[in-house]
Every structure is written in C-alpha cells, then in structure tokens.
C-alpha cells in the first residue's frame, strides 16, 4: 500500500478528508475536521465528498442489498488511490472486517448510543405503548424491527429508506407512518433533538454495534496519519466499541442481522450485554458478561502510536492505542467470549434463519453494476458476499 508521503503533520501540509455527501455525513465530517484543526492549527484540511452505493439505491431496504460495505466502499477506493487521506464514517456502518490495507485510526467520543422514537406531529405527546393499535412504525433495521415487534406486538413495522431529511419529510408530510425509530446520535447531530419523544433503553431496544461513535479510517501504512489521529481517540469509546465489534464479528453478523449490544464502561470495568433475535422477535437470546480493566496505563516508556501501528495487529480493524492497548485487547476477548457463549446457546441457527427469512421476504434486486476501480476491494467484497449467502 502506497502512501502519498506528504508528511501530514508538518506545518502547512494539506490533509484530504473523504465523506459521503449527505447532510449527516458532512456534519460528522465537519466535527472531525474541526477537532483535527484544533490540534493542528497550522495544517489545512480539505473535504472531498462522494456518493456511495448505499446513497444511490434508495428504494430498497438496506438489509436486502446484501453488501456489508454499502456506505463505505467508494470512499475506501479513494483512500486506497490516495485521492483522500482519511475518511469519516459512522462506526456502525463500517464492517468488522475492513478491506486489506485499511484501518480505523481513531474512534471519537460516543454520542448517546441509544435509539429514539420520532413521532408524527399528531402523536407528539405519545410513547410507543400509547400509540393506537396497528400504528405503522418506520424502520428498515432488522435489529430494531425484531426487538420492537417482540415488545409491541400491536404495532406494525414497515421499511423506510432515504437519508434522514427524506425520512423526516416522509413522516411529517404524509400519514404513512405514526413514528420513526432513529439513532439519537444522528438526530442530535442534525439538530432535531426536540423531535425525540422517547429514548429507548436496553429493556426495549438495544443499539447497533458501534452506534453513536464516529470512526476515522486511513491507510494501514500511513503512520504519520495514524500518529496524528491518535489524539482524536476517546479511551472509553475505543474500548467499548472494540468489545462490541468483536462480538459482532464472532457472530458473523452484518448490517442485515438482528444483533444488538449494550455496553457499560467505567475506569475499571466493562460490561457487555449482547442480543440476537429471530426476525419476528419471537426468539431472543441475551447474555451479559464483564471483565475488569487495568488502571489507566502509564505513558512512561510507551512507544509512539506510529511505531506501535507498524508492529501490532488491529482489533476488528481498529489500531490499538498504545496507552490502552491492553484494555482494548481485554475488551476484544470479552466480545469474542460473549458471542461464543451465545453461539453455544443456539445463536447460529437463529441468525441463519433470520438471514434466510430476510432474503426470501421481498423480491430480489438484480445486482447493480459497479465500476471496478480497485481489484482488491472488489474481491474482498465478493468474498464477503459469498460468506454471507452461504
Ligand atoms: C446501520 C443500520 C442503520 C444505519 C442498521 C441498524 C439503520 C437503518 C435504518 C448499520 N446503519 O442500526 O440496525 O434505520 O433503516 C445509520 C444511521 C447513523 C449511522 C442512522 C440511524 C447515525 C447514528 C450513528 C444507518 N448509520 O441509525 O438512525 O452515527 O451511529
């Protein structure tokens, strides 16, 4: 993998940041750019926007399109080709296995990771349990659908696609949906916090792995950039999301699987609750495990992040931060252990059936032709698709 060798952390150098062009993606990219600009006042940051497959296919439920890197692939190609140096993503949109040569150099402090209910204006004072019977809730997430069908059998769930602006318009300007379920993080970043009628705690709806956190992806060998990104990393978010991603990866769940997490982290311990559901929510497997963490590592004698990055492996794509690499490794083991325990209790069958039921539930979309810009990324994706459909 080639780097452009600009020496980004030198005065006056330019770093190019790739982003999807939706309003939410841009807002998230501005947040990361502003943090970087604060740390490096002498550097210049340029934003390069592009559309991804997930942005272009708007009429089909996400879970039906059948690719794990829907919102990320075009950006990763730009990264590989050196058109951009870093890419900002919602962590939950990043597959737990990244394309060869790509790593997550930083995960920033997590926003509230929960899901929220956005009511149609005519139900503004309501909660899910006070909506009329047969009210239609808009969500394309199998994870949300499965959990909420279980808890609210009198409600109906229908797919809704499009970026957040489109969805809110579909809610407000028609009578098709009584409410939408969206991540608090996205709603807050869009400036719509006042539209949240209900926050869903883990007893009602556990969140997606990585939800609420922003990740910065870069080239594996770009040690200057990795070092620079080290300062953006948020300790507890890095540790918590490492556990969640390890859980997801061990289950082999993609964004089309009803898998969810709930993590509690303090300075000295992490507790991970994981869940797997059948599509209709009739089956539920839940398990919680915890592990103690080490007191904040001493920085004495530590290698700088760039050196560390060269020698160490990543954890589900995340470059371990040298100051708390050990705690990230413990968190990773926790995620693997929890998933293994659920697999022993039958999670594999539930997920297999959920995937099969999802694939059979609506007409299949003919695969869209994608221009092959990068052999390695394309091959990797095909591999993933084969794994998914097997
Ligand atoms: C993924 C899912 C959704 C997004 C599936 C899930 C929601 C799809 C839908 C993996 N990515 O959560 O079970 O509702 O139809 C997405 C959102 C954000 C990042 C929007 C949202 C914002 C929150 C964040 C779409 N990706 O979930 O409301 O940064 O974590």
């Amino acid at each position: 993998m080639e780097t452009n060798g600009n020496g980004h952390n030198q005065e006056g150098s330019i770093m190019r940041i790739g982003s999807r062009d939706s309003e939410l993606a841009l807002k998230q990219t501005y947040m990361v750019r502003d943090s970087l600009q604060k740390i490096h006042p002498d550097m210049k940051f340029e934003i390069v926007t592009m559309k991804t497959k997930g942005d272009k296919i708007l009429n089909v439920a996400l879970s039906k399109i059948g690719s794990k890197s829907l919102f990320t692939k075009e950006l990763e190609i730009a990264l590989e080709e050196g058109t951009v140096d870093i890419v900002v993503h919602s962590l939950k949109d990043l597959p737990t296995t990244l394309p060869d040569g790509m790593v997550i150099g930083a995960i920033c402090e997590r926003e509230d990771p929960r899901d929220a209910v956005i009511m149609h204006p005519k139900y503004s004072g309501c909660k899910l349990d006070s909506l009329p019977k047969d009210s239609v809730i808009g969500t394309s997430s199998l994870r949300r659908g499965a959990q909420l069908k279980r808890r609210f059998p009198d409600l109906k769930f229908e797919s809704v696609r499009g970026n957040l602006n489109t969805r809110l318009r579909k809610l407000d300007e028609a009578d098709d949906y009584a409410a939408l379920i969206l991540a608090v993080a996205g709603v807050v970043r869009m400036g719509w916090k006042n539209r949240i009628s209900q926050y869903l705690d883990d007893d009602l709806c556990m969140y997606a792995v990585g939800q609420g956190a922003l990740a910065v992806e870069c080239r594996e060998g770009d040690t200057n950039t990795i070092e620079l990104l080290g300062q953006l990393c948020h300790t507890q978010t890095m540790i918590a999301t490492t556990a969640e991603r390890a859980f997801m990866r061990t289950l082999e769940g993609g964004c089309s699987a009803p898998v969810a997490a709930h993590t509690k982290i303090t300075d000295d311990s992490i507790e991970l609750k994981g869940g797997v559901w059948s599509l209709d929510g009739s089956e539920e497997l839940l398990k919680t495990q915890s592990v103690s963490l080490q007191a904040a590592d001493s920085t004495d004698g530590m290698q700088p992040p760039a050196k560390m990055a060269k020698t160490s492996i990543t954890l589900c794509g995340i470059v371990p931060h040298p100051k708390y690499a050990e705690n990230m490794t413990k968190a990773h083991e926790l995620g693997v252990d929890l998933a293994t325990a659920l697999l022993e209790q039958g999670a594999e069958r539930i997920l297999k059936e959920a995937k099969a039921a999802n694939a059979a539930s609506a007409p299949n979309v003919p695969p869209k032709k994608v221009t092959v810009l990068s052999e390695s990324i394309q091959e990797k994706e095909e591999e993933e698709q084969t794994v998914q459909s097997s």
Side-chain angles (χ1 to χ4, degrees), residues 4 18 80 88 99 112 117 139-141 163 183 201 214 234 320 356 358:
N4 61 11
E80 187 182 45
V88 178
D112 186 332
V117 184
T139 178
S140 310
S141 154
N163 61 38
D201 285 316
L214 298 183
H234 183 257
N358 180 50

Side-chain angles (χ1 to χ4, degrees), residues 11 21 23 39 80 112 144 172 207 233 239 268 284 315 331 337:
E11 248 177 66
D21 66 357
E23 193 179 336
I39 303 169
E80 187 182 45
D112 186 332
R144 291 170 179 148
D172 288 350
Y207 43 81
C233 295
I239 297 169
D268 44 36
E284 173 180 72
L315 299 168
D337 286 352

Side-chain angles (χ1 to χ4, degrees), residues 24 28 62 71 90-93 115 139-144 160-161 164 167 181-183 185-186 189 208 210-214 255:
L24 177 62
Q28 297 184 158
L62 275 188
F71 289 109
S90 281
L91 179 62
K92 80 162 169 169
D93 292 330
D115 283 331
T139 178
S140 310
S141 154
L142 303 183
R143 171 187 63 80
R144 291 170 179 148
V160 55
R161 282 287 327 270
L164 291 189
R167 291 187 192 201
I181 313 294
L182 296 172
R189 291 178 195 136
Q211 186 160 305
L214 298 183
C255 73

